[in-house]
Amino acid sequence: MNDQNNVLEFKDVRKIYRMGDEEINALDGVNLNIKNGSFTSIMGPSGSGKSTLLHVAGILDMPTQGTLLLNGKDTSTLSGKEQAKFRRSEIGFVFQRFNLLPQLSTLENVLLPMIKPDPDKAKELLDKMGLNKKYKKLPNQLSGGEQQRVSIARALINNPSLILADEPTGELDSKNAEVIMSILQDLNKNEGVTIIIVTHNPLAAEFTDETIEMRDGNIIG
Amino acid sequence: MGINSLSFKNFRRRKLRSILTMLGVVIGVIALVVLVGITTGMTNYMKESTNNMMGDVTIMNSTGGGTIVAQPGSSFLSPETVDELKNMPQLYNIREELQFMTAFNQTTIYILGTSDWGQIDINGTHGVVINPAIEDMGYKIGDKITIKDQEFTVTGTFSEEAMGMGILVLDADKALPLNDNKTTSITANTRGDPEVIKDEIENNIDGITVSTKSDMTKQIEEMMGGLTLFIGGIASIALLVGVISIINIMLVNVTERTREIGVLKAIGFTSREVLVSILLESALIGFIGGLVGLIIAAIILQLVIILFGSQIGDIQLVQMLPLWLIAGVLGGATGLSILAGLYPAWRASRLNVVEALRNE
């Protein structure tokens, strides 16, 4: 039943939010498999459920109905502590607004998710992102493109099987957006990291191998 | 990079805010330590001077109340009782101390008879020593002074005040005849356990109370313990106000950092780890505030000793600031701060990740 090649399997996943008296079907019965080593973009207008899909995929949010298998494991059976452990070891998040901790240096931000900090590994990742001279800089001393590269390094530090990026180019100019997408593409092609991005930007989606369109909580293509 | 080193960074991040919050704790700790320190110092000083000056036992007329501070004019020991005591083989180094009031120059003065001049800081020599109130009546060293038709020559002065009343100190054997040979108390050393000998004396002689050093120390502790508790209670209110401001500030901090807390959870920190890191941050405010308060309080206490040391006796800083007070205040400030952080930390740990990440 469970396909070893799938990192993620959504089975009739529903997510219902309640806003006052109104019920909103953010996800309305989504069936989706994400293959190991794939590079997928999810597009769609605001409110189409693409961010919710990403949150559910990253166990930041739990489905109201249906099942989600992450590496074959039913996420609804995980305790809060196990969810946190999964997020730490299996998933790397990249956010639209970078979300680096402002009081920590570049290097410290990258080391934050590590249980046993390995500065050499963090430096190696930062070097790969072209940030070899910025270890001690604070986030507000970096450009948006640089901050996003730090956050990619942070996402990669625990060798996750999946990178989830929510509008990774949303706050960047087109040149920086291209740099970030190239980095993600390189990680996917050369290191086999499975990546899902949510984006509004068709140029960003072009870097991915597969694009999923969403509307009203459903996948339409 | 642990989440807990984040607590230290957060503490430093809003320096002014952290310092102002700490200030509440600092002021509370200063009030507590200075006030409790002074009463503790007085207690310890009284206990130590009791130990130094008294013999092993002090014997009084039982209607005199057996308190350390004998009321002048209260019951005396009769010469017969004193003789009986002097004949007891268990006692040695027997000293009579007496105090009574007498009319003098249209007023009333205290007469103190002592066998131990070492306790009085005299200008001149011992023998017949007067205080400022009697000096004000026009007496000085070398003058003749007449008490109950007996003439004495003033040999020295000392600075003891007694609410404007005159005090004249004499050798006990010279003072006794002035009081019909009745003495107020007897101090003596004992051959053997003071507690056992106390029982022996009380069983043999009627109408007297024997106090041992430990009895007196206990009385001082009881008397001063209540005072210390009362003063400590009042000063604790200041500390409590400081701690309540920690609750307030930590709530502000947590609200302000909502998105950061969302990020921490997204990258794999558990709710419990978030909770502990917030508690650590408020513990830090309490501990550092407590430490700074203690240091300032110690400086103030040292100043009190320097400025008023001559009036309150030879008190040392260690007597005012014993280890239990230091440990109690530091532990208390830290513990209360952790309690203050509980609610904000619980709120932070319960944040919904998705909503937290959406927070501006």
Side-chain angles (χ1 to χ4, degrees):
Chain A
M1 191 170 144
N2 158 41
D3 188 337
Q4 287 297 320
N5 284 327
N6 289 337
V7 179
L8 281 172
E9 288 180 40
F10 287 80
K11 292 181 174 169
D12 196 27
V13 170
R14 283 166 205 280
K15 181 74 199 180
I16 300 163
Y17 288 113
R18 201 170 265 289
M19 279 186 106
D21 289 339
E22 207 181 343
E23 281 192 349
I24 297 166
N25 291 312
L27 295 178
D28 197 10
V30 171
N31 287 293
L32 176 67
N33 292 336
I34 299 293
K35 287 205 168 46
N36 204 350
S38 63
F39 190 7
T40 311
S41 53
I42 303 171
M43 297 194 73
S46 296
S48 60
K50 56 189 192 311
S51 284
T52 305
L53 187 79
L54 205 71
H55 291 149
V56 170
I59 8 178
L60 297 179
D61 218 346
M62 296 310 273
T64 314
Q65 278 172 36
T67 27
L68 171 73
L69 303 182
L70 176 62
N71 288 332
K73 176 104 181 150
D74 184 349
T75 55
S76 66
T77 64
L78 298 173
S79 69
K81 205 174 156 187
E82 287 169 327
Q83 288 177 21
K85 203 178 153 203
F86 245 89
R87 286 200 290 266
R88 194 193 280 270
S89 60
E90 300 295 328
I91 300 163
F93 283 99
V94 177
F95 303 95
Q96 177 176 2
R97 294 169 58 198
F98 326 131
N99 280 343
L100 301 174
L101 297 199
Q103 68 275 41
L104 299 185
S105 70
T106 299
L107 187 64
E108 288 167 334
N109 262 293
V110 176
L111 286 172
L112 190 58
M114 284 193 117
I115 288 173
K116 281 188 188 146
D118 179 354
D120 290 337
K121 189 179 176 192
K123 285 178 184 168
E124 199 181 301
L125 279 168
L126 283 168
D127 293 349
K128 235 161 88 181
M129 300 292 152
L131 295 166
N132 51 336
K133 293 211 170 69
K134 315 256 169 161
Y135 299 155
K136 289 193 169 155
K137 292 266 188 282
L138 292 173
N140 61 13
Q141 296 169 309
L142 300 176
S143 73
E146 287 170 329
Q147 288 190 54
Q148 197 59 302
R149 281 182 271 154
V150 176
S151 89
I152 294 174
R154 179 178 67 184
L156 290 169
I157 192 76
N158 284 330
N159 301 320
S161 48
L162 181 64
I163 295 275
L164 300 173
D166 192 357
E167 302 272 14
T169 62
E171 305 249 319
L172 301 176
D173 59 35
S174 57
K175 195 172 151 236
N176 271 308
E178 206 168 300
V179 171
I180 293 299
M181 289 313 298
S182 303
I183 288 172
L184 292 176
Q185 193 176 41
D186 178 64
L187 285 170
N188 173 255
K189 293 289 165 286
N190 297 325
E191 320 220 348
V193 184
T194 310
I195 302 175
I196 305 174
I197 69 165
V198 160
T199 186
H200 273 111
N201 183 352
L203 292 173
E206 273 178 22
F207 281 83
T208 65
D209 298 332
E210 192 186 357
T211 299
I212 292 167
E213 283 281 339
M214 284 191 76
R215 197 129 318 167
D216 301 329
N218 267 312
I219 292 167
I220 55 167
Chain B
M1 189 67 219
I3 190 170
N4 292 339
S5 55
L6 208 58
S7 306
F8 290 87
K9 300 228 175 201
N10 283 333
F11 178 79
R12 295 214 319 249
R13 183 164 153 205
R14 296 253 182 261
K15 268 201 198 86
L16 183 65
R17 185 187 296 174
S18 301
I19 287 171
L20 285 175
T21 313
M22 249 174 47
L23 203 60
V25 179
V26 171
I27 291 170
V29 166
I30 291 174
L32 193 66
V33 172
V34 168
L35 291 175
V36 173
I38 287 174
T39 48
T40 305
M42 281 165 63
T43 311
N44 287 344
Y45 172 73
M46 283 167 72
K47 269 157 58 177
E48 272 168 38
S49 42
T50 306
N51 278 341
N52 291 339
M53 74 182 179
M54 302 288 176
D56 295 327
V57 290
T58 301
I59 303 160
M60 292 185 196
N61 186 313
S62 48
T63 54
T67 52
I68 319 149
V69 191
Q71 295 302 309
S74 64
S75 316
F76 294 99
L77 294 170
S78 68
E80 296 74 33
T81 310
V82 174
D83 282 342
E84 247 183 291
L85 287 165
K86 281 182 174 166
N87 286 332
M88 293 191 82
Q90 298 97 318
L91 300 178
Y92 69 102
N93 197 9
I94 294 169
R95 296 185 302 259
E96 292 173 62
E97 301 278 340
L98 71 156
Q99 43 180 293
F100 59 92
M101 286 194 275
T102 188
F104 176 77
N105 268 16
Q106 283 108 34
T107 175
T108 306
I109 63 166
Y110 284 117
I111 306 292
L112 257 55
T114 185
S115 314
D116 183 7
W117 287 97
Q119 289 170 52
I120 309 170
D121 198 8
I122 305 168
N123 249 331
T125 55
H126 64 76
V128 180
V129 173
I130 57 173
N131 79 334
I134 298 183
E135 281 185 85
D136 289 347
M137 297 175 203
Y139 293 91
K140 59 182 189 297
I141 297 175
D143 286 355
K144 301 258 187 279
I145 190 166
T146 306
I147 309 284
K148 287 198 171 178
D149 302 330
Q150 284 237 34
E151 199 178 70
F152 299 95
T153 306
V154 177
T155 61
T157 61
F158 74 127
S159 60
E160 185 77 24
E161 297 280 2
M163 291 184 288
M165 282 182 76
I167 307 176
L168 187 134
V169 190
L170 290 167
D171 283 314
D173 54 357
K174 294 217 177 71
L176 274 167
L178 302 176
N179 195 39
D180 304 328
N181 289 322
K182 290 183 294 187
T183 189
T184 311
S185 67
I186 281 183
T187 67
N189 288 12
T190 56
R191 295 188 174 88
D193 182 1
E195 296 295 331
V196 176
I197 290 166
K198 165 190 162 138
D199 288 343
E200 285 174 10
I201 302 171
E202 282 181 333
N203 289 338
N204 283 331
I205 305 172
D206 285 336
I208 60 164
T209 301
V210 181
S211 320
T212 60
K213 268 186 198 173
S214 66
D215 286 339
M216 290 180 239
T217 316
K218 240 181 267 165
Q219 277 174 24
I220 293 172
E221 275 172 358
E222 274 170 26
M223 189 172 75
M224 297 301 281
L227 185 68
T228 308
L229 208 66
F230 175 70
I231 287 175
I234 289 174
S236 298
I237 294 172
L239 185 58
L240 200 67
V241 172
V243 168
I244 288 170
S245 79
I246 295 182
I247 303 181
N248 189 26
I249 287 303
M250 291 311 291
L251 278 174
V252 172
N253 281 344
V254 165
T255 309
E256 195 180 75
R257 295 206 294 261
T258 297
R259 197 149 62 95
E260 277 171 41
I261 292 162
V263 173
L264 288 174
K265 287 179 134 188
I267 63 176
F269 288 100
T270 61
S271 300
R272 196 191 151 89
E273 284 168 317
V274 170
L275 184 105
V276 169
S277 82
I278 306 277
L279 288 184
L280 187 70
E281 200 178 326
S282 46
L284 213 56
I285 295 176
F287 181 76
I288 297 178
L291 204 62
V292 172
L294 262 178
I295 292 167
I296 297 175
I299 293 169
I300 293 175
L301 286 175
Q302 188 60 53
L303 280 176
V304 168
I305 291 169
I306 292 167
L307 292 176
F308 305 104
S310 54
Q311 275 113 304
I312 52 177
D314 192 17
I315 299 186
Q316 300 294 311
L317 189 61
V318 280
Q319 291 171 313
M320 287 184 162
L321 209 52
L323 207 60
W324 63 262
L325 186 59
I326 295 173
V329 162
L330 266 189
T334 312
L336 284 173
S337 304
I338 292 175
L339 278 181
L342 265 181
Y343 176 64
W346 177 79
R347 283 233 316 219
S349 73
R350 296 249 320 194
L351 279 173
N352 177 294
V353 189
V354 173
E355 280 169 33
L357 285 171
R358 231 178 256 145
N359 193 279
E360 286 306 305

